[in-house]
Amino acid sequence: MNDQCALIALLCILAGVLAACSGGGNDGEADELAAVGSPIVSVDCGNRCYLTRVDVETVIGQAVAEARARQQPATIAVVDRVGNVLAVFRMTKADEFVTVTSSHELGGPITGGLEDLNLIPASLAAIAKAITGAYLSTGENAFSTRTASQIIQENFNPGERNVPSGPLFGVQFSQLPCSDFSQRFTPGAIVGVGPHRSPLGLSADPGGMPLYINGQAVGGVGIVADGIYGLDKIIGDFDSDVDELIATAATVGYAAPSAIRADRITILGKTARFSDARVSDLQSGPEDRQAIAKLQADLVGDYLAVPGYFDRNTALAGTVFGLAESGVRPADPTVFMDADGGPLDAFIFVDTNNQNRYPAVTASDAPAGNPAMALTATEVQALLNEAIGVANESRAQIRVPPSVPARVTVSVVDSNGTVLGMARSRDGPVFGADVSLQKARTAAFFSGTGRKDGNAPAELLRQLPGPLYLERLPEPVDISDLAVSDVAAPSPGDYVAALQSFLGIPDALEATGDPVAFSDRAGGNLSRPHFPDGPADGPPGPLSRPPGEWSVFNVGLQSDLIYNALIHHIGFIFGLVPDVPATCLANTGLAAANPFTLAANVRGPVNGIQIFPGSVPIYRGDVLVGGIGVSGDGVDQDDMISFLGVHRAGMRLNTGIGNAPPEIRADRIDIPGEAARLRYINCPQVPFIGSTATEVCDGL
């Protein structure tokens, strides 16, 4: 082994990177899977712990070969596991823009929100699809954008009636370009610490797939060739989707191990989908791949600069996930310990100087007007440790083999949504970081009824400008034709009024109201198009859009809060305005006066709200002091880990912190005219590895 390989192998071992790192890409499965505290690395890591520049060029070349065989020019994006964009390649005559639509398969266009927009650059769609494939996948599960499509729709499975929504309903509005957590590309840089933002959030449009090398998740590829940015509404058949076919060709030699693909995994008792395309469907093979220089010389295509994401005329190499250069590395085992002093095998997010971005700190808020009520650094560390400890005990839901523990990210915030600490367990999906923070902030924010400090949620929401939906542009698209649509858009204050009416509580979310503790599961019930979650004849939740207007691109309050910021970022891509600030709230959008500015002092869920389960507010007695969010490995697991993490930390420290008193939890609300109540949490049955314990959350 040469010195460079020896150094990489040593770093892999220190980081606990799951890898079998010899040779080229592999369509088979890894020899073993990592266990907590037992990193698995091959003897010779070589250059196989990450995507090299040659790997990226190979992926692009294979995609181009298939696109040429089908006479479907494509835009191709490749990212590493933490979202560094390693290349964007656009073929000559490829569509420059995509049309956002959830109804292209069914007819009857839906308007409002992002629906029917035709000004989204195809490069942004390709990057979002590549990031989705990378961020949803790990060494123990491989998910694609087709998987995402299946698990975010209003029913699971899509097309079924009277069944609950997808388990990750709403996750598409995460990893947003306005997030204050996600890292941003530095112009002129090669790659940097992640996780990075996605220009459109997560994608449900088939054609985004993860990339693997010998069982190690190393990145993702995204393809846009059909001009549509949508999803699969009809999953009872098999599609011949050109984006997905080209992506399949791109992954030859870098495909996900067959044993961990989504179609080998059950979610809530139903088989997940990975891809409708097979290698046997391809019209090209690796032998048809041409060198990038040849493709450039023959004017087949070229690298494309995308402001904020990629500015090179060559492909780049990715980072090694789990090393400091990736932005994720092992935590200090003397800080992250269980109650018995044993190591938790935790990981942290670090900056370019390898410093923890979110160490446990004491809160600076003043719950109930008393700074002494604020969470302390000791309490925050205990919350992180206990939650990760619960995860390590818990049986994973979306991984194989089924005996592996849950892999998650945990975030703790104060009552104003300020981050007090973040950490993750081994090999958790990258998307769970931004999402766990969204969840923690959402729970703390909506549990603020009765706050007298100007931060009651109704007060804050009424300060925010409403979304200014844009019109579809005439074609060919000319960005100078941007105009606000005449489609009426509700304001955040309108949602407050709708929620108060629906709950029959006139002062819900108000400073004058009685305290109510909202978990994300409870708030999610209020955000479903069919209350409480799935019944075809159920009314729309007050935070949702009504039938005929609802879609995955127009969900209600969640999407309306961030709409203007997303349009701001697209304006930046076109060079019209500076980039969107690191907050998703209070953007004025394309307003006639003061466009694309912040209209209010933003507090709370500044990276957007989340509406699927996995968070609870934190209380000291009956006073709201913060929130905890968990994301990564099944929504019932996320619920349990957050709830038990808070409970165990309170029991361990005996300082008064704990879950909300049962009498103020949202599931106690008697909703007028509705037989169903909100749900607070839902813990899995027999959840712990090697234990028969059941009903582990009851009575707490």
Side-chain angles (χ1 to χ4, degrees):
M1 185 187 305
N2 61 36
D3 291 343
Q4 181 186 27
C5 290
L7 176 59
I8 295 175
L10 175 60
L11 292 174
C12 286
I13 292 170
L14 290 174
V17 176
L18 171 65
C21 302
S22 60
N26 186 359
D27 191 39
E29 56 187 291
D31 293 333
E32 297 182 78
L33 295 173
V36 172
S38 302
I40 296 173
V41 180
S42 69
V43 175
D44 184 356
C45 232
N47 289 325
R48 313 312 299 158
C49 288
Y50 61 98
L51 287 167
T52 67
R53 176 178 151 183
V54 171
D55 292 325
V56 176
E57 291 176 341
T58 299
V59 169
I60 293 170
Q62 292 179 163
V64 170
E66 184 67 19
R68 295 181 76 183
R70 295 181 177 275
Q71 299 182 359
Q72 288 276 338
T75 300
I76 304 148
V78 181
V79 303
D80 70 6
R81 192 170 170 186
V82 293
N84 282 296
V85 179
L86 307 182
V88 179
F89 191 91
R90 186 166 70 192
M91 296 176 64
T92 303
K93 297 185 178 179
D95 288 334
E96 187 176 353
F97 300 96
V98 294
T99 297
V100 179
T101 175
S102 63
S103 59
H104 61 286
E105 296 169 312
L106 304 176
I110 296 172
T111 58
L114 298 172
E115 285 281 355
D116 208 35
L117 284 187
N118 60 344
L119 54 83
I120 307 292
S123 57
L124 301 191
I127 291 170
K129 292 166 83 165
I131 285 177
T132 303
Y135 278 15
L136 292 181
S137 301
T138 72
E140 295 162 338
N141 75 289
F143 285 3
S144 67
T145 51
R146 183 173 291 280
T147 315
S149 175
Q150 181 187 9
I151 59 181
I152 68 168
Q153 296 190 46
E154 64 269 38
N155 297 113
F156 182 71
N157 277 321
E160 297 181 17
R161 290 171 59 83
N162 296 307
V163 295
S165 57
L168 266 63
F169 181 96
V171 77
Q172 64 270 31
F173 294 108
S174 67
Q175 333 301 318
L176 295 166
C178 47
S179 170
D180 64 330
F181 167 78
S182 298
Q183 300 280 26
R184 300 192 178 195
F185 168 77
T186 302
I190 299 177
V191 293
V193 298
H196 288 268
R197 61 183 180 170
S198 169
L200 302 176
L202 293 183
S203 174
D205 188 33
M209 291 187 172
L211 297 171
Y212 284 75
I213 295 177
N214 290 336
Q216 168 71 10
V218 292
V221 60
I223 306 295
V224 173
D226 62 9
I228 295 293
Y229 191 72
L231 71 164
D232 185 5
K233 295 286 288 184
I234 305 170
I235 72 166
D237 58 6
F238 286 86
D239 299 332
S240 179
D241 186 284
V242 66
D243 291 358
E244 193 169 56
L245 287 160
I246 296 171
T248 299
T251 63
V252 170
Y254 300 90
S258 59
I260 66 170
R261 293 180 190 177
D263 52 15
R264 300 293 184 91
I265 294 172
T266 58
I267 301 174
L268 302 177
K270 300 180 181 182
T271 302
R273 297 287 287 271
F274 182 73
S275 175
D276 285 358
R278 300 168 297 182
V279 172
S280 59
D281 297 325
L282 302 181
Q283 297 179 6
S284 68
E287 68 278 3
D288 298 311
R289 175 178 62 86
Q290 294 184 336
I292 299 296
K294 172 69 171 170
L295 297 175
Q296 292 170 314
D298 292 345
L299 304 181
V300 174
D302 206 347
Y303 291 108
L304 176 69
V306 181
Y309 296 92
F310 182 74
D311 65 357
R312 297 278 167 157
N313 58 2
T314 184
L316 303 173
T319 56
V320 180
F321 185 72
L323 301 189
E325 64 173 11
S326 73
V328 179
R329 68 159 173 83
D332 183 344
T334 66
V335 174
F336 286 85
M337 298 184 294
D338 61 26
D340 297 324
L344 287 169
D345 194 37
F347 287 69
I348 56 174
F349 302 98
V350 295
D351 60 20
T352 55
N353 296 315
N354 194 21
Q355 297 301 303
N356 188 353
R357 293 171 61 192
Y358 301 109
V361 296
T362 296
S364 59
D365 58 343
N370 183 359
M373 297 288 284
L375 287 168
T376 68
T378 298
E379 291 171 331
V380 173
Q381 189 64 56
L383 288 161
L384 294 173
N385 289 356
E386 291 297 335
I388 292 175
V390 175
N392 288 346
E393 294 177 37
S394 303
R395 187 177 294 106
Q397 183 184 85
I398 60 169
R399 294 171 179 270
V400 290
S403 60
V404 300
R407 320 286 198 182
V408 300
T409 299
V410 182
S411 295
V412 177
V413 301
D414 69 11
S415 65
N416 294 330
T418 302
V419 185
L420 302 181
M422 290 183 70
R424 50 173 282 134
S425 53
R426 173 181 301 278
D427 198 38
V430 174
F431 86 91
D434 187 66
V435 168
S436 70
L437 183 54
Q438 288 181 319
K439 289 181 179 183
R441 285 170 163 168
T442 303
F445 179 74
F446 281 99
S447 299
T449 298
R451 295 186 66 166
K452 305 297 194 293
D453 57 359
N455 289 321
E459 296 175 80
L460 296 179
L461 287 170
R462 291 193 188 103
Q463 295 176 31
L464 303 179
L468 295 177
Y469 299 154
L470 299 187
E471 284 191 356
R472 179 185 175 92
L473 297 181
E475 298 191 14
V477 170
D478 184 344
I479 201 67
S480 65
D481 293 331
L482 279 179
V484 175
S485 169
D486 58 3
V487 173
S491 72
D494 292 334
Y495 287 105
V496 172
L499 181 142
Q500 292 171 341
S501 175
F502 186 85
L503 295 181
I505 304 175
D507 52 4
L509 307 186
E510 304 281 5
T512 56
D514 294 327
V516 179
F518 282 102
S519 63
D520 266 17
R521 187 176 289 273
N525 288 155
L526 299 170
S527 303
R528 296 304 190 265
H530 301 285
F531 180 84
D533 187 7
D537 60 352
L543 304 183
S544 181
R545 302 296 290 145
E549 297 179 29
W550 186 92
S551 83
V552 297
F553 300 117
N554 188 33
V555 301
L557 178 64
Q558 184 193 32
S559 55
D560 281 347
L561 285 176
I562 60 90
Y563 180 92
N564 290 344
L566 192 58
I567 297 302
H568 183 154
H569 183 59
I570 293 169
F572 160 71
I573 299 297
F574 287 113
L576 302 178
V577 289
D579 203 355
V580 65
T583 174
C584 296
L585 305 185
N587 200 297
T588 59
L590 192 63
N594 301 316
F596 301 119
T597 57
L598 296 183
N601 181 21
V602 180
R603 298 178 296 284
V606 295
N607 62 329
I609 67 172
Q610 199 45 258
I611 56 176
F612 68 95
S615 72
V616 293
I618 305 168
Y619 284 75
R620 192 182 303 280
D622 60 357
V623 175
L624 174 72
V625 295
I628 185 170
V630 175
S631 189
D633 216 333
V635 294
D636 289 353
Q637 277 78 359
D638 293 347
D639 258 0
M640 179 185 71
I641 293 165
S642 61
F643 185 76
L644 290 185
V646 172
H647 174 73
R648 291 185 181 183
M651 296 294 290
R652 177 174 172 178
L653 297 176
N654 196 29
T655 58
I657 63 167
N659 284 296
E663 61 272 15
I664 69 169
R665 295 176 190 171
D667 57 359
R668 296 296 182 94
I669 298 174
D670 188 4
I671 302 174
E674 295 293 334
R677 290 178 178 264
L678 303 175
R679 299 291 298 276
Y680 194 69
I681 59 163
N682 193 47
C683 294
Q685 296 295 313
V686 196
F688 298 134
I689 298 171
S691 170
T692 59
T694 186
E695 299 179 345
V696 296
C697 299
D698 285 7
L700 301 181

